[in-house]
Amino acid sequence: MKIGIVGLTTVGKTTLFNLLTGSSIATQTFSSGKKDANIGTAAVPDERIDYLSEMFKPKKTTYAQIQFIDVAGLERGSGASSNKFLEALRQVDAVAHVVRVFQNPQVMHPEGSINPVRDVDILASELLFSDLGVIEKRLEKLYSSKKSQKEKREEIELLERCKVCLEEERPISSLNISNEEREILRSYGFLTEKPLMLVINLDEEQFYRKDYPGRKELHKYAAKNGIPIVELCALMEMEINELTEEDRRAFMKELGIKEPGISVVAKKAYEYLGLIPFFTAGEDEVKAWTIKKGTTAKDAAGKIHSDIQRGFIRAEVIAFNDLKESGSIAAARSKGLLRLEGKDYVVQDGDIINFRFNV
Ligand SMILES: Nc1nc2c(ncn2[C@@H]2O[C@H](COP(=O)(O)OP(=O)(O)OP(=O)(O)O)[C@@H](O)[C@H]2O)c(=O)[nH]1
Ligand SMILES: [Mg+2]
């Protein structure tokens, strides 16, 4: 899974990127103006993987992974023209919009004050303009060629619909489009078509208080538009991350951070995108795989290898909690908790699966 990090300038995007991916890209109190994207990968913590790893003592343990792409900050009114760097985000699965609410007199807020709903709106328009720019360019090309006008009628009509939608200041995600149309749009990677989540960047004091200017309005806005919100303190958490494991735990407890930022962001993203993990476990490797909710055993097998999908015979399945309670695969088997499932079985969150296949 790929998540793009966007936001106004100096809101803490790169700080968040560092926190999530364990990178140490330099941050400054002024806009970096850096136009090339930072790309990094985060392992999604999962206690179940830790547990399985203890049990199977594999040579390798692989957590689910999320790739994060951090781009330069957007400014009000920069419009389609200066948004070339947004190209790096065309193929992400979701967009995380970082919104500043932290107070920091050393860092200027591009709008001069803390107002999260306003900032969410500004960013939404910038993404809108960016998509509009892409559409206008493409339409111009299609209209200028008589031949493609005939051949690409469907595409032209669809783009015209998207254009009207954007001109009415609505995201493309609000359009009712068929699966086929979605396929046509895919290559464009429209930013307003992507699922959006908000990451609110708090300071320590706001974090303790669990409040900040504009919180109520923001939550109301997000609820109305069905946008998930994550609230965290990127800078504080990043600093804690530089400590030893033991100190880190102590600090997190003291500061009331229940879960590390990557966990919170990953959970929200999984839930929002309708994704779940399943596991494979053995002496060689314990590994988390990510699938869409509702995926059948045979399709899940295809995640691992197309041969396993093609030659699928059965799936040997055990729910994580059943295995944990039994203590071992053998004990679970004798209790009848190890099930044999066919190709249409719908894989559940936390299933541990051994695929039987024939090539
Ligand atoms: N107090 C406080 N300062 C923060 C926090 N997050 C970021 N900052 C500071 O804000 C400044 C900008 O942070 P960056 O992470 O570089 O922001 P950015 O959004 O990547 O900035 P651009 O890429 O230039 O748009 C740095 O000086 C950070 O230390 C926070 O949670 N609290
Ligand atoms: Mg940055």
Side-chain angles (χ1 to χ4, degrees), residues 229-247:
I229 294 186
V230 174
E231 289 163 339
L232 47 75
C233 182
L235 186 63
M236 174 174 76
E237 238 193 281
M238 205 189 80
E239 284 166 359
I240 295 172
N241 265 359
E242 284 160 9
L243 305 172
T244 62
E245 176 76 27
E246 202 179 323
D247 284 352

Side-chain angles (χ1 to χ4, degrees), residues 96-131:
H97 174 189
V98 181
V99 184
R100 166 177 176 177
V101 294
F102 66 81
Q103 306 278 0
N104 184 344
Q106 270 149 3
V107 181
M108 225 186 61
H109 190 298
E111 293 289 312
S113 64
I114 304 292
N115 182 340
V117 172
R118 173 202 60 205
D119 293 355
V120 170
D121 258 346
I122 296 175
L123 196 102
S125 330
E126 291 311 312
L127 297 186
L128 238 129
F129 278 124
S130 165
D131 284 353

Side-chain angles (χ1 to χ4, degrees), residues 9 23-25 32 36 46 57 68 95 98 103 164 167 169 181 183-184 187 189 254 259 262-263 273 283 303 355:
T9 52
S23 315
S24 35
I25 308 282
S32 62
D36 37 333
D46 192 327
K57 307 245 183 302
F68 288 96
V95 171
V98 181
Q103 306 278 0
V164 170
E167 281 166 350
E169 293 187 31
E181 290 172 327
E183 263 322 296
I184 300 178
S187 63
E254 194 180 312
E259 266 184 290
I262 175 62
S263 236
L273 299 176
E283 281 166 17
K303 276 267 155 189
F355 291 103

Side-chain angles (χ1 to χ4, degrees), residues 10 12-15 25-27 32 34 38 70-73:
T10 57
K13 297 178 298 296
T14 302
T15 306
I25 308 282
T27 62
S32 62
K34 185 176 176 253
N38 300 312
D70 165 40
V71 296

Side-chain angles (χ1 to χ4, degrees), residues 48-56 279 286 320 323 352:
R48 296 171 295 186
I49 286 283
D50 298 334
Y51 187 90
L52 291 174
S53 205
E54 270 296 304
M55 183 180 249
F56 288 88
F279 310 123
V286 163
F320 175 80
L323 177 61
I352 299 149

Side-chain angles (χ1 to χ4, degrees), residues 55 318 321-328 331-333 335 337:
M55 183 180 249
I318 180 162
N321 285 333
D322 286 345
L323 177 61
K324 196 174 169 186
E325 274 162 34
S326 309
S328 72
R333 193 192 302 271
K335 281 197 223 166
L337 292 171

